[in-house]
Amino acid sequence: MDRIKAEELMGIYGRVAAALNDATYLVLSLPEAERATHLQALGPFMADLWLKLQLPIVREHRDLDPDGNRYRQHE
């Protein structure tokens, strides 16, 4: 993927990740029955965001890793 598109996508994905983190904090305040349902859905969504969308870009453009070194944990 070319660098410009990679940067744009990582910016978009970063905003999605921030929104999901915000949702997670709100979900943690829900009653247990509701909380569990939401967390079970959010977990795989967040994992897919990293593993299927961000990680392939970071493998090609390592300096775009939002955590700086997370990629090295998946080599």
Side-chain angles (χ1 to χ4, degrees):
M1 175 181 306
D2 73 66
R3 176 74 185 195
I4 292 172
K5 288 200 180 2
E7 289 174 350
E8 290 177 14
L9 281 171
M10 289 302 287
I12 293 166
Y13 296 154
R15 292 191 298 275
V16 170
L20 292 174
N21 285 332
D22 290 346
T24 299
Y25 289 116
L26 185 57
V27 163
L28 291 174
S29 70
L30 296 174
E32 175 61 33
E34 292 175 89
R35 179 175 53 231
T37 300
H38 283 267
L39 290 176
Q40 287 172 354
L42 280 170
F45 189 21
M46 294 171 85
D48 281 350
L49 176 62
W50 168 245
L51 293 171
K52 295 180 179 177
L53 297 172
Q54 291 178 300
L55 185 57
I57 293 172
V58 170
R59 283 187 173 134
E60 189 173 345
H61 303 279
R62 291 180 181 217
D63 61 309
L64 295 180
D65 188 336
D67 290 339
N69 67 353
R70 187 175 6 166
Y71 169 76
R72 288 183 219 115
Q73 297 172 5
H74 295 279
E75 289 184 300

